[in-house]
Every structure is written in C-alpha cells, then in structure tokens.
Amino acid sequence: MNKHAVAFPPPAQAALERFPIVFSDAVDYAGPLGAAWAPGRVNLIGEHTDYNDGFVLPIAVDRVTAFAGRTRSDGIVRLWSAYFQEYAQFLLEGLPASFEQQRAKLPEWARYALGVVAELTRKGVKLAGFDAVIDGDVPLGGGMSSSAALEVATAQACALFSEGRFTIAAEDATLTPMQVAAICQRAEQIASGVQCGILDQAASCLGRPGQAILLDCRSLEYRYLPFDAPTISLMVIDTGVRRELAASAYNERRRQCEEATTMLREIILQHEPANEAARSISALRDITQEQFDRYGADLPEVLRRRAGYVIAEDGRVLQTVKLLETNAFEEIGELLWQSHAGLRDEYQVSSVELDTLVEIAGQVPGVLGARMLGGGFGGCTINLVRDESVEALRQAVEQQYPARTGRQASIDICRAAGGPGSAWASQA
Ligand code: GLA
C-alpha cells in the first residue's frame, strides 16, 4: 500500500471529490478519506486457455476502477456507483453465510463487491465497514474486464479501510497479489454464475508499467516480459455490442473442454497403453499438438474443434513469448490473426461485429495483427498497429463499421500500466 502517493488516477480523484457530496449525512466515520483502485486488462494472446490450465499473456491497462471512502465503525458497507448513479448497501455480519440472501437484494454491479467481501471473510480476514464512491474509466462490459477491476479494487479498498487489520503485498502481508486474484476470481464466479478462469483478476493484480505478464494458469507462476515497443500502438476497438459474457455459452465451452480432455486421455491410452504420462492428463494443457494431430480426429466434431483451438492457442502464447524477446511484432501480429480465426471458426465465440472489425483492420497496411478480446460474443478487438497507421485504421473503422453493422465503434489506445494501489487523501 502506498500511503504517500502524490498522484491519484483520474477516476480516484473524481471519486474523492464526489465523496462528501454523495455521503453528506452525519455518519460517525472512524478514519480519514482514502482511495483504492485497480486496472482493467487486455490480453495480448491466450484466450480461453486459462480454465484449461494453460498460458495467458495479459497486460494491465491505464484504465482503473476506483473507490474513495472512509471507514465506518458499524460493519456496514455502503457504496455509490457514479456510473449507475445508484446506492447499494450490505452488512459484514453473517458473511459468507448470508451471501446468497444479500446478493439477491443488490444491483448487479454491487454483487461483485459483495462477492469479494464474502470471499475475504471466508478466508478469515477481519474487515471493517466503509462508505465509498466508485468511479472508473474501464469501459463496462466491453472486454477490458471492468468486473475484475471492480473486484480487485474492492479488495484494495477493504485492505485500506480495515486500517492495517489485513494487508496485500508480495511479502509479509496477509495476502499475496496472487491470493487476492484467486479470491476475486471466486467472487466473480459466485456473483455472476460464470465459471471464469483467473486471467482477468491476475492481470489486474499483477500489472506493471511497460510489461506483459506470462502466467501459467496451472502453477500460477508468472514472469514479466517487456512490452514497450516505441513505434507500435495497442488499439482497442469496441464493437458497441454489450452481450454480457454470455454465461451459458462460456460455461458450455468450459464443459466441452473438460469432456474433450477425458475423451482424448481414453483415446491415447487405448492406442498407447504403456504411456504412463497419459494417465495423468487432466486438462487440455497436457495434450501436445502432436498427440492432437494424431488422435484428434477420433473426437466428435464439436469437441475436436474446441480442443484443437485451445491446444493451438497455448502454442501461440509460447511462440509469442519467444517473439517478444526480439520485438518481432510482425510475427506476433500473424499469431493474432490466427488466434482470431480459431476463436471464430473453431471455438465459435466471435460475432459479426467482432469479425467485421478484424476484417477492416486486415485491409489497413501497417496493422500487424488483430483479434477479438476476452470471452467473446461482444466487446472489443485488440489491434497491434504501427504508429504511422493508427490514423488510417481509425478512418477505416469510422467509414466502414457503421455502414456494415449499423453501429458505432469507439477506439482507444492503451498502454501497459501498473497494478492496484491505494492511498490516504486526508489526515482527518
Ligand atoms: C473472460 C474470463 C477469463 C477468460 C477469458 C477468455 O474474460 O473471465 O477467465 O477465460 O474470458 O480468455
């Protein structure tokens, strides 16, 4: 925790200013005004690999969700969402047992915060109540993981407002950033019903300026890779379509992957009964490209497509890591196109709007690669673009996208930024 930060991210600053206006009643606050925040993410490559125990390569971005508030002495958490212009309130007492009952009474956005508080309580962490304004500049439901940013910011806010009763840090703290990521992942699952992997929450917890994060979603080991190409921009283009992470389709993909794993293990063992290693296959991560090429044809078609995509995508992540070491962005771009084709044709989680944006990008010289981002069905594409082509891509999207889809796209340039933070704004 940074107690002496000089600069608050803009949404934290906005929330700090709004706090005395929104919470103007005479609550007996137990502490000073402070802010906590956490970033959204983009994922360079490695989509739908996290829950297959595979690899991902995300980047935390310079967009955050922020809380500004004060500790209460009565175990109540009261929140005001600047985006929804809405209050929500829940009680620490009774959690985690009272989670379902309290969840039912809350607006959707507040359920993520309740989920984090419930999961922290389940871990035995001692929390204090607080009042807070929530503000942010991570586009909502747009594929940059606004929900993960909200969850991780909630954990940071809990640490700040519990005033030392629990801490988050790499060493000598109650929880490490990776433990917070796991708690927030669980919170997302119980709040939304989506059986998500750990990609979004880990990326938010671990962000570092100018770095991408290679995360092994099985061991949860990670390392940083420089992502700071001076002449390349990371453009995020929003389709304007908000199909919330279609929970049922996502959970269905997850089940299909599990089914494909079990079947492939059986098929391999039938052909190679002496293959001891094959007995411990427990996720698509354990199946090599070579094994898939040899035996994948024995799977039912849908499972073959799903597994084929995931196994190839894991390979693309590891290739990208090698290519990043030499800043070989042309080749990395090539892998992004391939990733999109796999998500569209084999994993089948793209949409007409996402495909249109990727097609438009494909016609602009200097766009090295593009693909859909995150869970799919709506949200954004990520585009790796030479700086001198940024304007050309912007124009192509503005001219062609509305005509082809009847919608407006919005365009953002993102930078690899730092992880969560918190600081006091006043002494009283
Ligand atoms: C969503 C989930 C993540 C991950 C991505 C797809 O963002 O929350 O866990 O599975 O989809 O890569």
Side-chain angles (χ1 to χ4, degrees):
M1 180 172 46
N2 180 1
K3 288 206 174 202
H4 302 285
V6 270
F8 288 99
Q13 191 60 50
L16 285 167
E17 282 160 22
R18 185 127 17 154
F19 183 85
I21 303 163
V22 171
F23 293 102
S24 56
D25 52 4
V27 174
D28 186 15
Y29 287 116
L33 181 63
W37 58 89
R41 63 101 188 93
V42 296
N43 189 20
L44 194 53
I45 199 158
E47 221 64 271
H48 289 277
T49 46
D50 58 353
Y51 54 82
N52 287 299
D53 279 4
F55 300 95
V56 292
L57 193 53
I59 291 163
V61 292
D62 48 349
R63 306 289 142 88
V64 301
T65 298
F67 285 58
R70 288 177 185 268
T71 306
R72 294 175 67 114
S73 42
D74 58 3
I76 292 175
V77 175
R78 210 163 39 134
L79 303 172
W80 164 260
S81 160
Y83 184 85
F84 293 102
Q85 296 279 303
E86 188 177 30
Y87 285 102
Q89 175 172 322
F90 54 85
L91 304 178
L92 296 179
E93 206 187 315
L95 286 174
S98 64
F99 172 76
E100 277 306 331
Q101 196 197 351
Q102 296 208 65
R103 174 188 184 275
K105 294 183 199 138
L106 290 177
E108 210 179 309
W109 59 268
R111 294 176 176 179
Y112 296 98
L114 175 70
V116 172
V117 172
E119 288 306 303
L120 285 169
T121 317
R122 198 189 303 283
K123 292 281 174 213
V125 172
K126 293 275 170 279
L127 300 177
F130 58 90
D131 282 353
V133 170
I134 305 176
D135 208 338
D137 55 9
V138 187
L140 254 72
M144 282 205 237
S145 284
S146 51
S147 60
L150 173 58
E151 290 145 13
V152 177
T154 304
Q156 291 293 320
C158 287
L160 182 70
F161 299 129
S162 74
E163 297 179 310
R165 270 179 276 181
F166 102 91
T167 49
I168 302 170
E171 284 162 28
D172 293 333
T174 324
L175 297 171
T176 63
M178 209 57 207
Q179 286 171 322
V180 172
I183 285 169
C184 292
Q185 174 195 12
R186 185 74 199 123
E188 170 101 23
Q189 294 177 343
I190 61 173
S192 70
V194 176
Q195 293 304 309
C196 65
I198 200 162
L199 162 66
D200 308 342
Q201 293 79 11
S204 181
C205 284
L206 300 172
R208 273 196 193 166
Q211 315 259 304
I213 307 152
L214 170 65
L215 172 66
D216 177 334
C217 298
R218 169 171 280 164
S219 68
L220 298 185
E221 280 166 13
Y222 56 91
R223 70 184 169 94
Y224 292 97
L225 299 158
F227 185 81
D228 220 0
T231 57
I232 307 268
S233 294
L234 209 52
M235 285 175 83
V236 176
I237 311 183
D238 193 333
T239 56
V241 179
R242 288 286 170 277
R243 217 138 118 228
E244 291 292 319
L245 229 195
S248 57
Y250 186 95
N251 292 345
E252 182 189 56
R253 294 299 180 287
R254 195 170 173 151
R255 272 197 309 277
Q256 288 168 336
C257 289
E258 285 160 9
E259 221 182 304
T261 304
T262 310
M263 290 185 77
L264 274 168
R265 183 179 55 227
E266 297 311 313
I267 295 166
I268 294 170
L269 284 170
Q270 268 165 25
H271 288 89
E272 307 173 18
N275 185 343
E276 282 307 316
R279 281 179 213 290
S280 52
I281 288 174
S282 65
L284 288 178
R285 150 77 175 273
D286 299 315
I287 293 158
T288 63
Q289 187 66 53
E290 203 223 330
Q291 284 173 318
F292 182 77
D293 293 342
R294 191 172 313 159
Y295 301 119
D298 292 354
L299 287 173
E301 176 168 355
V302 170
L303 298 190
R304 178 168 53 71
R305 288 177 172 217
R306 306 295 188 253
Y309 161 75
V310 170
I311 293 166
E313 181 79 350
D314 258 334
R316 284 189 284 267
V317 177
L318 299 178
Q319 270 177 279
T320 304
V321 169
K322 285 216 185 78
L323 293 167
L324 266 181
E325 277 156 15
T326 55
N327 273 353
F329 285 103
E330 300 252 357
E331 288 88 338
I332 293 174
E334 209 35 63
L335 296 173
L336 297 198
W337 301 121
Q338 289 174 19
S339 172
H340 185 77
L343 288 157
R344 181 190 60 208
D345 303 332
E346 307 299 323
Y347 217 63
Q348 297 178 303
V349 290
S350 190
S351 68
V352 175
E353 292 85 1
L354 289 163
D355 294 345
T356 305
L357 283 178
V358 169
E359 265 172 54
I360 294 170
Q363 290 154 10
V364 177
V367 176
L368 303 179
R371 60 176 201 83
M372 55 150 274
L373 177 62
F377 302 106
C380 307
T381 63
I382 177 175
N383 302 258
L384 209 53
V385 189
R386 288 197 193 288
D387 283 350
E388 64 269 22
S389 300
V390 164
E391 234 3 82
L393 177 56
R394 191 187 297 277
Q395 279 175 20
V397 169
E398 279 167 7
Q399 282 162 14
Q400 299 175 39
Y401 184 72
R404 289 177 61 176
T405 63
R407 296 179 181 276
Q408 294 294 332
S410 53
I411 302 175
D412 257 331
I413 294 186
C414 290
R415 275 178 196 83
S422 65
W424 297 113
S426 73
Q427 295 308 308

